CSV table of all heavy atoms in Angstrom, one decimal:
chain,number,residue,atom,x,y,z
A,1,MET,N,102.0,101.8,130.1
A,1,MET,CA,101.0,101.1,129.3
A,1,MET,C,101.4,100.9,127.9
A,1,MET,O,102.0,101.8,127.3
A,1,MET,CB,99.6,101.9,129.4
A,1,MET,CG,98.6,101.2,128.6
A,1,MET,SD,97.0,101.9,128.8
A,1,MET,CE,96.5,101.3,130.4
A,2,GLN,N,101.2,99.8,127.3
A,2,GLN,CA,101.5,99.5,126.0
A,2,GLN,C,100.5,100.1,125.0
A,2,GLN,O,99.3,100.0,125.2
A,2,GLN,CB,101.5,98.0,125.8
A,2,GLN,CG,101.9,97.5,124.4
A,2,GLN,CD,102.0,96.0,124.2
A,2,GLN,OE1,101.7,95.3,125.2
A,2,GLN,NE2,102.2,95.6,123.1
A,3,LYS,N,101.0,100.6,123.9
A,3,LYS,CA,100.1,101.2,122.9
A,3,LYS,C,99.9,100.1,121.8
A,3,LYS,O,100.8,99.5,121.3
A,3,LYS,CB,100.7,102.4,122.3
A,3,LYS,CG,99.9,103.1,121.2
A,3,LYS,CD,100.5,104.4,120.7
A,3,LYS,CE,99.6,105.0,119.7
A,3,LYS,NZ,100.2,106.3,119.2
A,4,VAL,N,98.6,99.9,121.5
A,4,VAL,CA,98.3,98.9,120.4
A,4,VAL,C,97.9,99.7,119.2
A,4,VAL,O,97.0,100.6,119.3
A,4,VAL,CB,97.1,98.0,120.9
A,4,VAL,CG1,96.7,97.1,119.8
A,4,VAL,CG2,97.5,97.3,122.2
A,5,ILE,N,98.5,99.3,118.1
A,5,ILE,CA,98.1,99.9,116.8
A,5,ILE,C,97.5,98.9,115.9
A,5,ILE,O,98.2,97.9,115.5
A,5,ILE,CB,99.4,100.6,116.1
A,5,ILE,CG1,100.0,101.6,117.1
A,5,ILE,CG2,99.0,101.2,114.8
A,5,ILE,CD1,101.2,102.2,116.6
A,6,PRO,N,96.3,99.0,115.5
A,6,PRO,CA,95.7,98.0,114.6
A,6,PRO,C,96.2,98.1,113.2
A,6,PRO,O,96.6,99.2,112.7
A,6,PRO,CB,94.2,98.3,114.7
A,6,PRO,CG,94.1,99.7,115.1
A,6,PRO,CD,95.3,100.0,115.9
A,7,ALA,N,96.3,96.9,112.6
A,7,ALA,CA,96.8,96.9,111.1
A,7,ALA,C,95.6,96.4,110.3
A,7,ALA,O,95.1,95.3,110.5
A,7,ALA,CB,98.0,96.0,111.0
A,8,PHE,N,95.1,97.2,109.4
A,8,PHE,CA,94.0,96.8,108.6
A,8,PHE,C,94.5,96.4,107.2
A,8,PHE,O,95.2,97.2,106.6
A,8,PHE,CB,93.0,98.0,108.4
A,8,PHE,CG,92.3,98.4,109.7
A,8,PHE,CD1,91.9,99.7,109.9
A,8,PHE,CD2,92.1,97.5,110.7
A,8,PHE,CE1,91.2,100.1,111.0
A,8,PHE,CE2,91.5,97.9,111.9
A,8,PHE,CZ,91.0,99.2,112.0
A,9,ARG,N,94.0,95.3,106.7
A,9,ARG,CA,94.4,94.8,105.4
A,9,ARG,C,93.6,95.6,104.4
A,9,ARG,O,92.3,95.7,104.5
A,9,ARG,CB,94.1,93.3,105.3
A,9,ARG,CG,94.2,92.7,104.0
A,9,ARG,CD,95.6,92.4,103.6
A,9,ARG,NE,95.6,91.4,102.5
A,9,ARG,CZ,95.8,91.8,101.2
A,9,ARG,NH1,96.0,93.0,100.9
A,9,ARG,NH2,95.8,90.8,100.3
A,10,ILE,N,94.2,96.1,103.4
A,10,ILE,CA,93.5,96.8,102.3
A,10,ILE,C,93.9,96.2,101.0
A,10,ILE,O,94.9,95.5,100.9
A,10,ILE,CB,93.9,98.3,102.3
A,10,ILE,CG1,95.4,98.5,102.1
A,10,ILE,CG2,93.4,99.0,103.5
A,10,ILE,CD1,95.8,100.0,101.9
A,11,THR,N,93.0,96.3,100.0
A,11,THR,CA,93.3,95.8,98.7
A,11,THR,C,93.4,96.8,97.6
A,11,THR,O,93.9,96.5,96.5
A,11,THR,CB,92.2,94.7,98.3
A,11,THR,OG1,91.0,95.4,98.3
A,11,THR,CG2,92.2,93.5,99.2
A,12,ASP,N,93.0,98.0,97.9
A,12,ASP,CA,93.1,99.1,96.9
A,12,ASP,C,93.5,100.4,97.7
A,12,ASP,O,92.7,101.0,98.3
A,12,ASP,CB,91.8,99.3,96.2
A,12,ASP,CG,91.8,100.4,95.1
A,12,ASP,OD1,92.5,101.4,95.3
A,12,ASP,OD2,91.2,100.1,94.1
A,13,TYR,N,94.8,100.7,97.6
A,13,TYR,CA,95.4,101.8,98.3
A,13,TYR,C,94.7,103.1,98.0
A,13,TYR,O,94.4,104.0,98.9
A,13,TYR,CB,96.9,101.9,98.2
A,13,TYR,CG,97.5,103.0,99.0
A,13,TYR,CD1,97.2,103.2,100.3
A,13,TYR,CD2,98.4,103.9,98.4
A,13,TYR,CE1,97.7,104.2,101.1
A,13,TYR,CE2,99.0,104.9,99.2
A,13,TYR,CZ,98.7,105.0,100.5
A,13,TYR,OH,99.2,106.0,101.3
A,14,ALA,N,94.5,103.4,96.7
A,14,ALA,CA,93.8,104.7,96.3
A,14,ALA,C,92.5,104.8,96.9
A,14,ALA,O,92.2,105.9,97.5
A,14,ALA,CB,93.7,104.8,94.8
A,15,LYS,N,91.7,103.8,96.9
A,15,LYS,CA,90.3,103.9,97.6
A,15,LYS,C,90.4,104.0,99.1
A,15,LYS,O,89.7,104.7,99.7
A,15,LYS,CB,89.5,102.6,97.2
A,15,LYS,CG,89.0,102.6,95.8
A,15,LYS,CD,88.2,101.4,95.5
A,15,LYS,CE,87.7,101.4,94.0
A,15,LYS,NZ,86.9,100.2,93.7
A,16,SER,N,91.4,103.3,99.7
A,16,SER,CA,91.5,103.3,101.1
A,16,SER,C,92.0,104.7,101.6
A,16,SER,O,91.6,105.3,102.6
A,16,SER,CB,92.5,102.3,101.6
A,16,SER,OG,92.0,101.0,101.3
A,17,LYS,N,93.0,105.3,100.8
A,17,LYS,CA,93.5,106.6,101.1
A,17,LYS,C,92.3,107.6,101.0
A,17,LYS,O,92.2,108.5,101.8
A,17,LYS,CB,94.6,107.0,100.2
A,17,LYS,CG,95.3,108.3,100.6
A,17,LYS,CD,96.5,108.7,99.9
A,17,LYS,CE,97.0,108.1,98.6
A,17,LYS,NZ,98.2,108.7,98.1
A,18,ALA,N,91.5,107.5,100.0
A,18,ALA,CA,90.4,108.4,99.8
A,18,ALA,C,89.4,108.3,101.0
A,18,ALA,O,89.0,109.3,101.5
A,18,ALA,CB,89.6,108.2,98.5
A,19,PHE,N,89.2,107.1,101.4
A,19,PHE,CA,88.2,106.9,102.6
A,19,PHE,C,88.8,107.5,103.9
A,19,PHE,O,88.1,108.2,104.6
A,19,PHE,CB,87.9,105.4,102.7
A,19,PHE,CG,87.1,105.1,103.9
A,19,PHE,CD1,85.7,105.3,103.8
A,19,PHE,CD2,87.6,104.6,105.1
A,19,PHE,CE1,84.9,105.0,104.9
A,19,PHE,CE2,86.8,104.3,106.2
A,19,PHE,CZ,85.4,104.5,106.1
A,20,TYR,N,90.0,107.1,104.2
A,20,TYR,CA,90.6,107.4,105.5
A,20,TYR,C,91.1,108.9,105.6
A,20,TYR,O,90.9,109.6,106.6
A,20,TYR,CB,91.7,106.5,105.9
A,20,TYR,CG,91.2,105.1,106.4
A,20,TYR,CD1,91.3,104.0,105.5
A,20,TYR,CD2,90.7,104.9,107.6
A,20,TYR,CE1,90.9,102.8,105.9
A,20,TYR,CE2,90.2,103.7,108.0
A,20,TYR,CZ,90.3,102.6,107.2
A,20,TYR,OH,89.9,101.4,107.6
A,21,VAL,N,91.8,109.3,104.5
A,21,VAL,CA,92.4,110.7,104.5
A,21,VAL,C,91.3,111.7,104.1
A,21,VAL,O,91.1,112.7,104.9
A,21,VAL,CB,93.6,110.7,103.6
A,21,VAL,CG1,94.1,112.1,103.5
A,21,VAL,CG2,94.7,109.8,104.1
A,22,GLU,N,90.7,111.6,103.0
A,22,GLU,CA,89.8,112.6,102.5
A,22,GLU,C,88.4,112.5,103.2
A,22,GLU,O,87.8,113.5,103.5
A,22,GLU,CB,89.6,112.4,101.0
A,22,GLU,CG,90.9,112.7,100.2
A,22,GLU,CD,90.8,112.2,98.8
A,22,GLU,OE1,89.7,112.0,98.3
A,22,GLU,OE2,91.9,111.9,98.2
A,23,GLY,N,88.0,111.3,103.5
A,23,GLY,CA,86.7,111.1,104.1
A,23,GLY,C,86.6,111.2,105.6
A,23,GLY,O,85.7,111.8,106.2
A,24,MET,N,87.6,110.6,106.3
A,24,MET,CA,87.6,110.6,107.7
A,24,MET,C,88.6,111.5,108.4
A,24,MET,O,88.6,111.6,109.6
A,24,MET,CB,87.9,109.1,108.2
A,24,MET,CG,86.7,108.2,107.8
A,24,MET,SD,86.8,106.6,108.5
A,24,MET,CE,86.5,107.0,110.2
A,25,GLY,N,89.4,112.2,107.6
A,25,GLY,CA,90.3,113.2,108.2
A,25,GLY,C,91.6,112.7,108.8
A,25,GLY,O,92.3,113.4,109.5
A,26,PHE,N,92.0,111.5,108.5
A,26,PHE,CA,93.3,111.0,108.9
A,26,PHE,C,94.4,111.7,108.1
A,26,PHE,O,94.2,112.2,107.0
A,26,PHE,CB,93.4,109.5,108.7
A,26,PHE,CG,92.8,108.7,109.8
A,26,PHE,CD1,91.4,108.4,109.8
A,26,PHE,CD2,93.5,108.2,110.9
A,26,PHE,CE1,90.8,107.7,110.8
A,26,PHE,CE2,92.9,107.5,111.9
A,26,PHE,CZ,91.5,107.2,111.8
A,27,GLN,N,95.6,111.6,108.6
A,27,GLN,CA,96.8,112.2,108.0
A,27,GLN,C,97.8,111.1,107.8
A,27,GLN,O,98.0,110.2,108.6
A,27,GLN,CB,97.4,113.2,108.9
A,27,GLN,CG,98.8,113.6,108.7
A,27,GLN,CD,99.3,114.5,109.7
A,27,GLN,OE1,98.6,115.5,110.1
A,27,GLN,NE2,100.6,114.3,110.2
A,28,ILE,N,98.4,111.0,106.6
A,28,ILE,CA,99.5,110.0,106.3
A,28,ILE,C,100.8,110.4,107.0
A,28,ILE,O,101.3,111.5,106.7
A,28,ILE,CB,99.7,109.8,104.8
A,28,ILE,CG1,98.4,109.3,104.2
A,28,ILE,CG2,100.8,108.9,104.5
A,28,ILE,CD1,98.4,109.3,102.7
A,29,ASP,N,101.3,109.6,107.9
A,29,ASP,CA,102.5,109.8,108.5
A,29,ASP,C,103.7,109.4,107.7
A,29,ASP,O,104.7,110.1,107.6
A,29,ASP,CB,102.6,109.1,109.9
A,29,ASP,CG,101.5,109.6,110.8
A,29,ASP,OD1,101.2,110.8,110.8
A,29,ASP,OD2,101.0,108.8,111.6
A,30,TRP,N,103.6,108.2,107.1
A,30,TRP,CA,104.6,107.7,106.2
A,30,TRP,C,104.0,106.5,105.4
A,30,TRP,O,103.0,105.9,105.8
A,30,TRP,CB,105.9,107.2,107.0
A,30,TRP,CG,105.6,106.4,108.2
A,30,TRP,CD1,105.6,106.8,109.5
A,30,TRP,CD2,105.4,104.9,108.2
A,30,TRP,NE1,105.4,105.7,110.3
A,30,TRP,CE2,105.2,104.6,109.6
A,30,TRP,CE3,105.3,104.0,107.2
A,30,TRP,CZ2,105.0,103.2,109.9
A,30,TRP,CZ3,105.0,102.7,107.6
A,30,TRP,CH2,104.9,102.3,109.0
A,31,GLU,N,104.7,106.3,104.3
A,31,GLU,CA,104.4,105.1,103.4
A,31,GLU,C,105.6,104.4,103.2
A,31,GLU,O,106.7,105.0,103.1
A,31,GLU,CB,103.8,105.6,102.1
A,31,GLU,CG,102.6,106.4,102.1
A,31,GLU,CD,102.1,106.9,100.7
A,31,GLU,OE1,102.7,106.4,99.7
A,31,GLU,OE2,101.2,107.7,100.6
A,32,HIS,N,105.5,103.0,103.0
A,32,HIS,CA,106.7,102.2,102.7
A,32,HIS,C,106.4,101.2,101.7
A,32,HIS,O,105.4,100.5,101.8
A,32,HIS,CB,107.3,101.5,104.0
A,32,HIS,CG,108.4,100.7,103.7
A,32,HIS,ND1,108.3,99.3,103.4
A,32,HIS,CD2,109.7,101.0,103.6
A,32,HIS,CE1,109.5,98.9,103.1
A,32,HIS,NE2,110.4,99.8,103.2
A,33,ARG,N,107.3,101.1,100.7
A,33,ARG,CA,107.2,100.0,99.7
A,33,ARG,C,108.7,99.6,99.5
A,33,ARG,O,109.5,100.5,99.4
A,33,ARG,CB,106.6,100.5,98.4
A,33,ARG,CG,105.2,100.8,98.4
A,33,ARG,CD,104.8,101.4,97.0
A,33,ARG,NE,103.5,102.0,97.1
A,33,ARG,CZ,102.3,101.4,96.7
A,33,ARG,NH1,102.4,100.2,96.2
A,33,ARG,NH2,101.2,102.1,96.7
A,34,PHE,N,108.9,98.3,99.3
A,34,PHE,CA,110.3,97.9,99.0
A,34,PHE,C,110.7,98.3,97.6
A,34,PHE,O,111.8,98.6,97.3
A,34,PHE,CB,110.4,96.4,99.2
A,34,PHE,CG,110.5,96.0,100.7
A,34,PHE,CD1,109.4,95.4,101.3
A,34,PHE,CD2,111.6,96.2,101.5
A,34,PHE,CE1,109.4,95.1,102.7
A,34,PHE,CE2,111.7,95.9,102.8
A,34,PHE,CZ,110.5,95.3,103.4
A,35,GLU,N,109.8,98.2,96.7
A,35,GLU,CA,109.9,98.7,95.3
A,35,GLU,C,108.7,99.4,94.9
A,35,GLU,O,107.6,99.1,95.5
A,35,GLU,CB,110.2,97.4,94.4
A,35,GLU,CG,111.5,96.7,94.7
A,35,GLU,CD,112.7,97.4,94.3
A,35,GLU,OE1,112.7,98.2,93.3
A,35,GLU,OE2,113.8,97.1,94.8
A,36,PRO,N,108.7,100.2,93.8
A,36,PRO,CA,107.5,100.9,93.4
A,36,PRO,C,106.3,100.1,93.2
A,36,PRO,O,105.2,100.5,93.5
A,36,PRO,CB,108.0,101.6,92.2
A,36,PRO,CG,109.4,101.8,92.3
A,36,PRO,CD,109.9,100.6,93.0
A,37,HIS,N,106.4,98.9,92.7
A,37,HIS,CA,105.2,98.1,92.4
A,37,HIS,C,104.9,97.1,93.5
A,37,HIS,O,103.9,96.3,93.3
A,37,HIS,CB,105.5,97.3,91.0
A,37,HIS,CG,106.6,96.4,91.1
A,37,HIS,ND1,107.9,96.8,91.1
A,37,HIS,CD2,106.7,95.0,91.3
A,37,HIS,CE1,108.8,95.8,91.2
A,37,HIS,NE2,108.0,94.7,91.3
A,38,PHE,N,105.6,97.1,94.6
A,38,PHE,CA,105.3,96.2,95.7
A,38,PHE,C,104.1,96.7,96.6
A,38,PHE,O,103.8,97.9,96.5
A,38,PHE,CB,106.5,96.1,96.6
A,38,PHE,CG,107.6,95.1,96.0
A,38,PHE,CD1,107.7,94.8,94.7
A,38,PHE,CD2,108.5,94.5,96.8
A,38,PHE,CE1,108.6,94.0,94.2
A,38,PHE,CE2,109.4,93.7,96.4
A,38,PHE,CZ,109.5,93.4,95.0
A,39,PRO,N,103.6,95.9,97.4
A,39,PRO,CA,102.5,96.3,98.3
A,39,PRO,C,103.0,97.4,99.3
A,39,PRO,O,104.1,97.5,99.6
A,39,PRO,CB,102.2,95.0,99.1
A,39,PRO,CG,102.7,93.9,98.3
A,39,PRO,CD,103.9,94.4,97.6
A,40,VAL,N,102.0,98.2,99.7
A,40,VAL,CA,102.3,99.4,100.5
A,40,VAL,C,102.0,99.1,102.0
A,40,VAL,O,101.1,98.2,102.3
A,40,VAL,CB,101.5,100.6,100.0
A,40,VAL,CG1,100.0,100.4,100.3
A,40,VAL,CG2,102.0,101.9,100.7
A,41,PHE,N,102.8,99.7,102.9
A,41,PHE,CA,102.5,99.7,104.3
A,41,PHE,C,102.5,101.1,104.8
A,41,PHE,O,103.5,101.8,104.5
A,41,PHE,CB,103.6,98.9,105.0
A,41,PHE,CG,103.3,98.6,106.5
A,41,PHE,CD1,102.4,97.6,106.8
A,41,PHE,CD2,103.9,99.4,107.5
A,41,PHE,CE1,102.1,97.4,108.2
A,41,PHE,CE2,103.6,99.2,108.8
A,41,PHE,CZ,102.7,98.2,109.2
A,42,VAL,N,101.4,101.6,105.4
A,42,VAL,CA,101.2,103.0,105.7
A,42,VAL,C,100.8,103.2,107.1
A,42,VAL,O,100.1,102.4,107.7
A,42,VAL,CB,100.1,103.5,104.8
A,42,VAL,CG1,99.8,105.0,105.0
A,42,VAL,CG2,100.4,103.3,103.3
A,43,GLN,N,101.3,104.3,107.7
A,43,GLN,CA,100.8,104.7,109.0
A,43,GLN,C,100.0,106.0,108.9
A,43,GLN,O,100.5,106.9,108.3
A,43,GLN,CB,101.9,104.9,110.0
A,43,GLN,CG,101.4,105.4,111.4
A,43,GLN,CD,102.5,105.6,112.4
A,43,GLN,OE1,103.3,104.7,112.7
A,43,GLN,NE2,102.7,106.8,112.9
A,44,ILE,N,98.8,106.0,109.4
A,44,ILE,CA,97.9,107.1,109.4
A,44,ILE,C,97.5,107.5,110.8
A,44,ILE,O,97.5,106.6,111.7
A,44,ILE,CB,96.7,106.9,108.5
A,44,ILE,CG1,95.8,105.8,109.0
A,44,ILE,CG2,97.1,106.7,107.1
A,44,ILE,CD1,94.5,105.6,108.3
A,45,THR,N,97.3,108.8,111.1
A,45,THR,CA,96.8,109.2,112.4
A,45,THR,C,95.8,110.3,112.3
A,45,THR,O,95.7,111.0,111.3
A,45,THR,CB,98.0,109.8,113.2
A,45,THR,OG1,98.6,110.9,112.5
A,45,THR,CG2,99.0,108.8,113.6
A,46,ARG,N,95.0,110.3,113.4
A,46,ARG,CA,94.0,111.4,113.5
A,46,ARG,C,93.8,111.6,115.0
A,46,ARG,O,93.5,110.6,115.7
A,46,ARG,CB,92.6,111.0,112.9
A,46,ARG,CG,91.6,112.0,113.1
A,46,ARG,CD,90.3,111.6,112.5
A,46,ARG,NE,89.2,112.4,113.0
A,46,ARG,CZ,88.0,112.2,112.9
A,46,ARG,NH1,87.5,111.1,112.2
A,46,ARG,NH2,87.1,113.0,113.4
A,47,ASP,N,94.1,112.8,115.5
A,47,ASP,CA,94.1,113.0,116.9
A,47,ASP,C,95.0,112.0,117.6
A,47,ASP,O,96.2,112.0,117.3
A,47,ASP,CB,92.7,113.0,117.5
A,47,ASP,CG,91.7,114.0,116.8
A,47,ASP,OD1,92.2,115.1,116.5
A,47,ASP,OD2,90.5,113.6,116.6
A,48,ASP,N,94.5,111.2,118.6
A,48,ASP,CA,95.4,110.3,119.3
A,48,ASP,C,95.3,108.9,118.7
A,48,ASP,O,95.8,107.9,119.3
A,48,ASP,CB,95.0,110.2,120.7
A,48,ASP,CG,95.4,111.5,121.5
A,48,ASP,OD1,96.4,112.2,121.0
A,48,ASP,OD2,94.8,111.8,122.5
A,49,MET,N,94.6,108.7,117.6
A,49,MET,CA,94.5,107.4,116.9
A,49,MET,C,95.5,107.1,115.9
A,49,MET,O,95.7,108.0,115.0
A,49,MET,CB,93.1,107.3,116.3
A,49,MET,CG,91.9,107.3,117.2
A,49,MET,SD,90.4,107.1,116.4
A,49,MET,CE,90.2,108.7,115.6
A,50,THR,N,96.1,106.0,115.9
A,50,THR,CA,97.1,105.6,114.9
A,50,THR,C,96.6,104.2,114.3
A,50,THR,O,96.2,103.3,115.1
A,50,THR,CB,98.5,105.4,115.5
A,50,THR,OG1,98.9,106.7,116.0
A,50,THR,CG2,99.5,105.0,114.4
A,51,ILE,N,96.7,104.1,113.0
A,51,ILE,CA,96.3,102.9,112.3
A,51,ILE,C,97.3,102.6,111.2
A,51,ILE,O,97.8,103.5,110.6
A,51,ILE,CB,94.9,103.0,111.6
A,51,ILE,CG1,93.8,103.3,112.7
A,51,ILE,CG2,94.5,101.8,110.8
A,51,ILE,CD1,92.5,103.7,112.0
A,52,TYR,N,97.6,101.3,111.1
A,52,TYR,CA,98.4,100.8,110.0
A,52,TYR,C,97.5,100.3,108.9
A,52,TYR,O,96.5,99.6,109.2
A,52,TYR,CB,99.4,99.7,110.3
A,52,TYR,CG,100.4,100.0,111.3
A,52,TYR,CD1,100.8,99.2,112.4
A,52,TYR,CD2,101.2,101.2,111.2
A,52,TYR,CE1,101.8,99.4,113.3
A,52,TYR,CE2,102.2,101.5,112.2
A,52,TYR,CZ,102.5,100.6,113.2
A,52,TYR,OH,103.4,100.9,114.1
A,53,LEU,N,97.8,100.7,107.6
A,53,LEU,CA,97.1,100.1,106.5
A,53,LEU,C,98.1,99.3,105.7
A,53,LEU,O,99.2,99.8,105.4
A,53,LEU,CB,96.5,101.2,105.6
A,53,LEU,CG,95.5,102.2,106.2
A,53,LEU,CD1,95.1,103.2,105.2
A,53,LEU,CD2,94.3,101.4,106.8
A,54,THR,N,97.8,98.1,105.3
A,54,THR,CA,98.7,97.2,104.6
A,54,THR,C,98.1,96.5,103.5
A,54,THR,O,97.0,96.0,103.6
A,54,THR,CB,99.4,96.3,105.6
A,54,THR,OG1,100.4,95.5,104.9
A,54,THR,CG2,98.5,95.4,106.3
A,55,GLU,N,98.8,96.4,102.4
A,55,GLU,CA,98.4,95.6,101.2
A,55,GLU,C,99.1,94.2,101.3
A,55,GLU,O,98.9,93.3,100.5
A,55,GLU,CB,98.8,96.2,99.9
A,55,GLU,CG,98.0,97.4,99.6
A,55,GLU,CD,98.4,98.1,98.3
A,55,GLU,OE1,99.6,98.1,97.9
A,55,GLU,OE2,97.5,98.5,97.5
A,56,HIS,N,100.0,94.0,102.3
A,56,HIS,CA,100.7,92.7,102.5
A,56,HIS,C,99.7,91.7,103.0
A,56,HIS,O,99.1,91.9,104.1
A,56,HIS,CB,101.9,92.9,103.5
A,56,HIS,CG,102.9,93.8,103.0
A,56,HIS,ND1,104.0,93.3,102.3
A,56,HIS,CD2,103.1,95.1,103.0
A,56,HIS,CE1,104.8,94.3,102.0
A,56,HIS,NE2,104.3,95.4,102.4
A,57,ALA,N,99.5,90.6,102.3
A,57,ALA,CA,98.5,89.6,102.7
A,57,ALA,C,98.9,88.9,104.0
A,57,ALA,O,98.0,88.6,104.7
A,57,ALA,CB,98.4,88.6,101.6
A,58,GLU,N,100.1,88.8,104.3
A,58,GLU,CA,100.5,88.1,105.5
A,58,GLU,C,100.5,88.9,106.8
A,58,GLU,O,100.5,88.4,107.9
A,58,GLU,CB,101.9,87.4,105.4
A,58,GLU,CG,101.9,86.4,104.3
A,58,GLU,CD,101.0,85.2,104.6
A,58,GLU,OE1,101.0,84.7,105.8
A,58,GLU,OE2,100.3,84.8,103.7
A,59,THR,N,100.5,90.3,106.6
A,59,THR,CA,100.6,91.2,107.8
A,59,THR,C,99.3,91.2,108.6
A,59,THR,O,99.4,91.2,109.8
A,59,THR,CB,100.9,92.6,107.3
A,59,THR,OG1,102.1,92.6,106.6
A,59,THR,CG2,101.1,93.5,108.5
A,60,ALA,N,98.2,91.2,108.0
A,60,ALA,CA,96.9,91.4,108.7
A,60,ALA,C,95.9,90.3,108.4
A,60,ALA,O,94.8,90.6,108.0
A,60,ALA,CB,96.4,92.8,108.5
A,61,LYS,N,96.3,89.1,108.5
A,61,LYS,CA,95.4,88.0,108.2
A,61,LYS,C,94.8,87.5,109.5
A,61,LYS,O,95.4,87.5,110.5
A,61,LYS,CB,96.1,86.9,107.4
A,61,LYS,CG,97.0,86.1,108.1
A,61,LYS,CD,97.6,85.0,107.2
A,61,LYS,CE,98.2,83.9,108.0
A,61,LYS,NZ,98.7,82.8,107.2
A,62,PRO,N,93.6,86.9,109.4
A,62,PRO,CA,93.0,86.4,110.6
A,62,PRO,C,93.8,85.2,111.2
A,62,PRO,O,94.5,84.5,110.4
A,62,PRO,CB,91.6,85.9,110.2
A,62,PRO,CG,91.4,86.5,108.8
A,62,PRO,CD,92.8,86.8,108.3
A,63,ALA,N,93.7,85.0,112.5
A,63,ALA,CA,94.4,83.9,113.1
A,63,ALA,C,93.7,82.6,112.7
A,63,ALA,O,92.5,82.5,112.5
A,63,ALA,CB,94.4,84.0,114.6
A,64,ASP,N,94.5,81.5,112.6
A,64,ASP,CA,93.9,80.2,112.2
A,64,ASP,C,93.3,79.5,113.4
A,64,ASP,O,93.6,79.7,114.5
A,64,ASP,CB,95.0,79.3,111.6
A,64,ASP,CG,95.5,79.9,110.3
A,64,ASP,OD1,94.8,80.6,109.6
A,64,ASP,OD2,96.7,79.6,110.0
C-alpha cells in the first residue's frame, strides 16, 4: 500500500512549529533550506502520522 504524506503550506515557521510541536506533540524529523534565508521544508511526525510543512509557495498550492 502506498503511503500518502500531506504537505501543508505555512507562512510563519515559528508559529507553525509552536502549534505542531509544542501544541500538538509532533516531533521534527528534519528541516531543509537551500540557504539560511530561503523557505523551509520540514517533516514532522507523531505516532504513525507524518506531515510535511512548507513555506514554498509552489509546493502546496491548490489545483487549478
Side-chain angles (χ1 to χ4, degrees):
M1 177 174 283
Q2 180 179 359
K3 182 177 182 177
V4 176
I5 301 174
F8 296 153
R9 170 83 162 96
I10 60 173
T11 56
D12 187 319
Y13 182 47
K15 287 182 181 178
S16 296
K17 187 171 17 175
F19 177 78
Y20 286 102
V21 176
E22 298 164 21
M24 295 190 68
F26 279 83
Q27 159 185 321
I28 297 172
D29 299 324
W30 49 261
E31 299 179 9
H32 178 266
R33 293 177 193 259
F34 286 103
E35 297 286 336
H37 62 282
F38 280 24
V40 68
F41 189 79
V42 181
Q43 178 177 299
I44 59 174
T45 57
R46 177 179 165 195
D47 302 324
D48 291 333
M49 293 180 287
T50 300
I51 299 172
Y52 295 138
L53 302 177
T54 180
E55 290 179 322
H56 294 266
E58 295 299 314
T59 302
K61 73 177 194 174
D64 294 333

